[in-house]
Amino acid sequence: MKPITYQVSIRVFINEMMTFYKDDPRLGTRENPYKADMFYEVLSPYAHFYGPLRNILIFEKNSVYIWTLETDTGRKLRFSSNDDVSEMDLEMITDSPSEKKWKKVFINPPKMQSGGKIKLKSKSKSSNEFSLETTGDIKSGGRIKYSFLFEFEDEDGNTKYGIVDPNGDTYPPPPPPYIPLLVEP
């Protein structure tokens, strides 16, 4: 049976993020990236996400998930890493993560790291796409949390870094924009 393909696009609102953090010049480096948790959205009409931040994906069996990253204007962004190749981190949502469980979720999964995490590595640094294929053995959905570092160029051509690592209780949401009240005299 041919696998079903799900496109998962992550759209980051770069201009809004840069405006929000403009008073902190320390941010945007590889060591201290912009926290983009409140400045992105997941566009995937058919993949199943849940949680208030849509940060947990439920994998379907016998499927291919293609992840891409772009700005709100449609410009492609690059997944980044501290190594020479791009990577994306996935964390298994379970009481007892194991290599055996990952092998039931993905075809040819990377080696499991501590805490039930795996790092998907691309074949090149310039990658802006990851593809994952699931097995036919998934029971009750393979639930995972995703996170990744990305890079982009600011208006001056400097390489900047941001991170999407959605944890609802870790980063408070940005304040609402100031809208002056119109009062009739």
Side-chain angles (χ1 to χ4, degrees):
M1 185 164 113
K2 184 178 177 185
I4 298 170
T5 299
Y6 293 98
Q7 182 73 39
V8 180
S9 295
I10 305 291
R11 180 178 290 163
V12 182
F13 295 85
I14 297 290
N15 292 335
E16 288 83 353
M17 181 182 70
M18 297 285 288
T19 300
F20 181 75
Y21 291 119
K22 70 180 177 199
D23 295 333
D24 194 346
R26 306 173 298 122
L27 296 177
T29 63
R30 187 183 299 267
E31 297 76 27
N32 199 9
Y34 294 110
K35 292 177 178 37
D37 297 345
M38 298 300 155
F39 300 99
Y40 84 99
E41 65 182 343
V42 177
L43 304 172
S44 185
Y46 303 110
H48 302 283
F49 287 86
Y50 75 96
L53 298 175
R54 293 191 69 200
N55 63 333
I56 299 172
L57 171 63
I58 301 174
F59 283 112
E60 302 292 334
K61 60 179 150 185
N62 195 29
S63 300
V64 174
Y65 290 83
I66 300 172
W67 292 72
T68 58
L69 182 62
E70 63 185 29
T71 67
D72 56 316
T73 60
R75 186 175 41 120
K76 296 288 184 190
L77 294 172
R78 292 181 304 273
F79 288 92
S80 187
S81 169
N82 289 330
D83 300 332
D84 290 336
V85 295
S86 302
E87 70 183 29
M88 182 172 176
D89 295 344
L90 301 177
E91 181 178 345
M92 182 177 279
I93 310 285
T94 180
D95 292 343
S96 56
S98 70
E99 191 88 33
K100 185 177 178 181
K101 287 182 182 177
W102 276 122
K103 287 181 179 177
K104 285 187 176 183
V105 175
F106 297 121
I107 294 174
N108 300 320
K111 186 171 168 56
M112 189 182 86
Q113 316 236 328
S114 64
K117 295 182 180 183
I118 62 172
K119 290 187 181 293
L120 299 172
K121 296 202 178 253
S122 73
K123 303 208 183 328
S124 71
K125 176 143 177 66
S126 62
S127 178
N128 59 9
E129 181 176 293
F130 281 94
S131 180
L132 301 163
E133 187 170 354
T134 61
T135 68
D137 296 333
I138 297 175
K139 304 279 190 263
S140 68
R143 298 178 304 153
I144 61 100
K145 178 186 162 301
Y146 59 86
S147 62
F148 51 85
L149 186 68
F150 63 93
E151 57 188 69
F152 61 96
E153 290 185 4
D154 66 9
E155 60 275 353
D156 298 327
N158 300 317
T159 300
K160 297 291 185 178
Y161 297 87
I163 189 166
V164 170
D165 188 10
N167 286 322
D169 58 353
T170 304
Y171 306 116
Y178 174 72
I179 302 173
L181 296 174
L182 297 174
V183 180
E184 303 242 348

